[in-house]
Amino acid sequence: MDLSRFPRRVYTHGATPLEFMPRFTRALGGPQVWIKRDDMLGLAPGGNKTRKLEFLVADALAQGADTLVTCGAPQSNHCRITLTAARREGLKCRFVIEERVPNSYRVDASGNHFLFRLLGVDGITVVPAGTNMREAMQRVADEVAAAGGKAYVISGGGSNALGGLGYVACAQELQQQFYEQGVRIDRVVVGSGSSGTHGGLLAGFLGNRIGIPIVGIGVSRDPADQDPLVHQEAQAVADLLGLDMTVPREAVLTFGDYWRPKYSIPNTKMVEAVQMLARTEGILLDPVYTGKVMAGLIGLTRAGYFRADENVLFLHTGGATALHAYEPQVLGDAPVAE
Ligand SMILES: *Cc1c(COP(=O)(O)O)cnc(C)c1O
């Protein structure tokens, strides 16, 4: 599919590595596990939001915006990467931060929040859990307009049809790598949150006739709530591409369980997964997303869901910066939920 007709800023040079993980595979004792290193995308340090922002920021510039407005949780990777893109482009950047866990916002917090300050964010509005984020961002955009500026509002996680194109690009990059490296992948495991990653990848796989099933691991919702979001995103991306295709409901698959007790709250399976990958392969996961997604891969392997002769690809979406906001939990020095 021709993505070159969409305006795009290039924040990563070349493809992110596709690698086999021999020591992790041995420790797991299940399928052959491969990793797509989207934690090595651009925008210091990058992650899955980098791919979405290549299209979203290009659109903001085309519309003549001078300020990016977006939203997220107090340790949002999406906010950090959006701010980094803003700095790269000479734009201003403002956040609406949703305190999903009450009293979790701290001005002196480490991790991503420290980087918000180091990168010189132009404004943070903190709102309580359950706030209508679209409206809250619009109020910030109105303030920007009242001061003579022009805001471009980026939805949570950069997940809309345009942002989802970033993961269509990833699907095409993977297809090329499978071919060049002679790799046959049986299933892909991906984190499923605001769903631009999962939905975009799915649209890219369907549109390019890549017949590899995608297994989503919910980071904040069980399948009854998550699957419709992913389906809607995949359909929106397919429509934007003019694919003239109805995304089959059964192409969307997610698992819940691993995100509990709550989005961003550490649990023992996440700690095991983060330690295991760090200590077998020297690769850093994050406590909020990829640690729980890898816990899903490990848990599904132990439950017999993946066969030993399968090649399973784990999509690493980044986020390690947030480790610093959870150091004692991740080291096992502070208690975490079951
Ligand atoms: C945002 C994020 C995700 C989830 O991706 P969505 O596109 O929102 O579903 C996964 N991993 C990391 C590290 C993230 O920052």
Side-chain angles (χ1 to χ4, degrees), residues 48-49 52 77 157 159 191-197 286 289-290 317-319:
N48 60 343
K49 306 313 180 305
K52 305 178 193 184
N77 300 306
S159 290
S192 204
S194 66
S195 85
T197 304
D286 83 280
Y289 297 95
T290 53
T317 44

Side-chain angles (χ1 to χ4, degrees), residues 47-49 52 75-78 80-81 156-159 167 190-199 219 226 230 263 286 288-290 293 315-320:
N48 60 343
K49 306 313 180 305
K52 305 178 193 184
Q75 283 293 332
S76 170
N77 300 306
H78 167 66
R80 180 197 79 239
I81 298 175
S159 290
Y167 272 85
V190 60
S192 204
S194 66
S195 85
T197 304
H198 187 175
V219 297
Q226 186 65 22
V230 176
Y263 167 81
D286 83 280
V288 178
Y289 297 95
T290 53
V293 178
L315 178 61
H316 192 338
T317 44

Side-chain angles (χ1 to χ4, degrees), residues 263-274:
Y263 167 81
S264 82
I265 301 286
N267 63 37
T268 52
K269 292 185 179 119
M270 173 281 285
V271 171
E272 182 198 10
V274 172

Side-chain angles (χ1 to χ4, degrees), residues 25-317:
T25 292
R26 213 172 305 132
L28 183 62
Q32 312 290 302
V33 187
W34 295 72
I35 189 165
K36 173 67 171 167
R37 299 294 306 274
D38 269 12
D39 57 319
M40 294 172 74
L41 289 163
L43 296 178
N48 60 343
K49 306 313 180 305
T50 306
R51 288 194 191 266
K52 305 178 193 184
L53 287 162
E54 290 192 334
F55 291 96
L56 294 165
V57 175
D59 190 42
L61 292 170
Q63 292 187 24
D66 63 7
T67 305
L68 301 179
V69 175
T70 196
C71 67
Q75 283 293 332
S76 170
N77 300 306
H78 167 66
C79 285
R80 180 197 79 239
I81 298 175
T82 302
L83 174 56
T84 311
R87 290 298 164 259
R88 180 79 72 90
E89 304 290 359
L91 300 172
K92 296 197 181 94
C93 187
R94 295 179 57 169
F95 305 149
V96 179
I97 297 291
E98 182 186 8
E99 218 176 11
R100 295 193 198 168
V101 177
N103 301 315
S104 59
Y105 180 80
R106 285 198 167 56
V107 185
D108 63 348
S110 176
N112 281 311
H113 191 270
F114 156 72
L115 289 183
F116 298 168
R117 297 172 70 193
L118 177 62
L119 291 159
V121 65
D122 297 287
I124 296 181
T125 307
V126 182
V127 299
T131 300
N132 182 322
M133 298 307 279
R134 193 162 292 282
E135 285 172 16
M137 287 193 287
Q138 190 52 51
R139 281 194 292 277
V140 174
D142 292 344
E143 280 172 33
V144 171
K150 183 159 193 244
Y152 182 89
V153 175
I154 297 175
S155 52
S159 290
N160 58 10
L162 198 57
L165 292 183
Y167 272 85
V168 174
C170 181
Q172 299 188 164
E173 187 176 302
L174 279 170
Q175 185 174 41
Q176 187 67 20
Q177 286 178 312
F178 297 156
Y179 173 71
E180 280 173 4
Q181 299 185 29
V183 178
R184 223 205 72 201
I185 294 295
D186 299 294
R187 277 189 274 198
V188 177
V189 174
V190 60
S192 204
S194 66
S195 85
T197 304
H198 187 175
L201 194 69
L202 177 56
F205 274 23
L206 292 170
N208 286 290
R209 304 276 193 278
I210 302 170
I212 304 173
I214 300 174
V215 179
I217 308 291
V219 297
S220 54
R221 293 176 202 92
D222 281 338
D225 300 317
Q226 186 65 22
D227 291 6
L229 273 185
V230 176
H231 185 267
Q232 196 181 10
E233 170 73 9
Q235 188 65 59
V237 175
D239 292 347
L240 178 62
L241 286 165
L243 288 184
D244 195 19
M245 168 184 79
T246 303
V247 174
R249 294 267 165 201
E250 59 274 15
V252 177
L253 169 70
T254 69
F255 287 89
D257 302 338
Y258 298 95
W259 58 272
R260 292 184 185 284
K262 205 171 178 353
Y263 167 81
S264 82
I265 301 286
N267 63 37
T268 52
K269 292 185 179 119
M270 173 281 285
V271 171
E272 182 198 10
V274 172
Q275 291 186 357
M276 190 167 157
L277 193 66
R279 292 170 188 182
T280 54
E281 298 285 345
I283 296 175
L284 302 180
L285 295 172
D286 83 280
V288 178
Y289 297 95
T290 53
K292 289 180 173 177
V293 178
M294 187 59 99
L297 190 157
I298 295 168
L300 289 170
T301 297
R302 289 177 182 159
Y305 182 80
F306 296 118
R307 295 184 320 272
D309 63 354
E310 273 186 275
N311 284 292
V312 174
L313 174 62
F314 176 82
L315 178 61
H316 192 338
T317 44

